[in-house]
Amino acid sequence: MTTWVENPEGGRERGPRGLVRAWLELLTRPRRFFHNGISPGDQSPGLSFVIVVSFCYTATRFATLPSARPGFFASEAASVLVGLLLATFIIGPVGLHLVAALQVVLTIALVRDRGGVSKTVQVLAYATAPMALAGVGVPPMLAGTPLVAEVVAAWRVGLALWGCGLLVVGMATVHNISTPRAVVVVAIPAVIVFGYFFGGLYSLEALVGVDIISRSPPAGEMETQLLAAREPPV
C-alpha cells in the first residue's frame, strides 16, 4: 500500500519512509517524481498518500480551530476522533475517486495520445502533497491580531496554487503533453480539489476581500474565522 517507485527500473521502497520520501520529492523535484514514481496500474500508493495528506490536513484544522471540530457526541474527544477517521478514510479517498473520474473523462476527451487511466488517478493523488500543510487556521487567541488572518489566508492560497502547479506538471509529464494543454485539462478538477475541498477559494476571498463564490463557507470553516478576525471589535 505504501510502495513508492524510486527509479524506472524498480527500486521500490515501502512503509512510512517511502511516503515521506515521495512527499519530499514532490515538493522539491516534482517532474522527476512524476517521471519515475508513477507506475501503470499501481494506484494503492496514491490512495495511501491521500489518506496521509487528509489526516495531516484535518488534524491540523481541528488542533488550530476549535469551531471546526465536529459535535457528534457529548464527548469532544470522541467527536474529534470520529471526524478525523471520517475525513481520513472516507471523505478523502471517496472525494479523490470522484474527482479522478472527472479528470479521466476530461483527459480522454482532450488528449489523444495519453497514458493510462491509473496514471491520471495517481497524478491527482500526489498533487495534493502541499495540502498536508494547509489545515492551519487562526486560533481564537490570535483572532483580531493585525496581519495574522492575512498571513494565514496567503499561506493557504499559496499551497493551493502549489497543488495546482503539481497537477499541471504531473499531467504534462505522464501524458507527454505541453504545459498549456495540461492547464486546460486540469482546470476544472483543480478548482474542485484545491479551491473547494481544501478551501483555496475561500482563503482567496478572505485575502483580497472580493466575493468569488456565491455562497458563504460552512460554519466553522477557517475562512469564516479569517473574515471575522478582520472586523473591528465592538
Side-chain angles (χ1 to χ4, degrees):
M1 288 291 291
T2 54
T3 296
W4 176 57
V5 181
E6 185 175 9
N7 56 62
E9 291 74 34
R12 293 172 176 268
E13 182 172 359
R14 300 177 181 274
R17 185 168 179 264
L19 284 173
V20 172
R21 289 190 63 185
W23 185 75
L24 290 175
E25 183 145 0
L26 279 161
L27 298 185
T28 58
R29 292 176 291 185
R31 195 172 298 276
R32 171 180 167 177
F33 176 86
F34 286 119
H35 186 269
N36 299 336
I38 303 297
S39 181
D42 191 16
Q43 297 183 37
S44 293
L47 178 60
S48 299
F49 193 85
V50 166
I51 287 175
V52 173
V53 169
S54 298
F55 174 83
C56 294
Y57 176 87
T58 307
T60 305
R61 189 177 186 81
F62 288 168
T64 58
L65 286 177
S67 61
R69 299 168 189 168
F72 299 130
F73 312 106
S75 170
E76 183 181 50
S79 296
V80 167
L81 177 60
V82 171
L84 188 59
L85 292 175
L86 287 174
T88 301
F89 294 103
I90 297 180
I91 298 176
V94 170
L96 167 69
H97 282 86
L98 290 176
V99 179
L102 173 62
Q103 183 66 84
V104 167
V105 171
L106 292 172
T107 304
I108 292 174
L110 299 174
V111 181
R112 179 174 299 178
D113 298 322
R114 57 188 177 274
V117 170
S118 67
K119 288 187 175 182
T120 300
V121 177
Q122 291 177 69
V123 168
L124 184 61
Y126 287 120
T128 63
M131 309 319 292
L133 307 174
V136 63
V138 180
M141 67 179 65
L142 297 178
T145 303
L147 297 180
V148 170
E150 287 78 6
V151 169
V152 172
W155 170 256
R156 292 194 49 165
V157 169
L159 291 174
L161 291 175
W162 196 347
C164 293
L166 288 179
L167 186 54
V168 170
V169 171
M171 291 294 286
T173 301
V174 303
H175 296 297
N176 194 27
I177 58 177
S178 66
T179 298
R181 172 165 288 196
V183 170
V184 174
V185 172
V186 308
I188 296 176
V191 169
I192 294 173
V193 172
F194 301 106
Y196 286 88
F197 288 175
F198 287 108
L201 287 176
Y202 297 121
S203 295
L204 183 60
E205 283 186 335
L207 183 63
V208 302
V210 175
D211 290 334
I212 301 173
I213 306 173
S214 58
R215 68 177 183 85
S216 300
E221 287 290 310
M222 188 210 71
E223 290 72 22
T224 302
Q225 294 220 354
L226 287 175
L227 292 171
R230 301 178 73 174
E231 297 180 0
V234 178

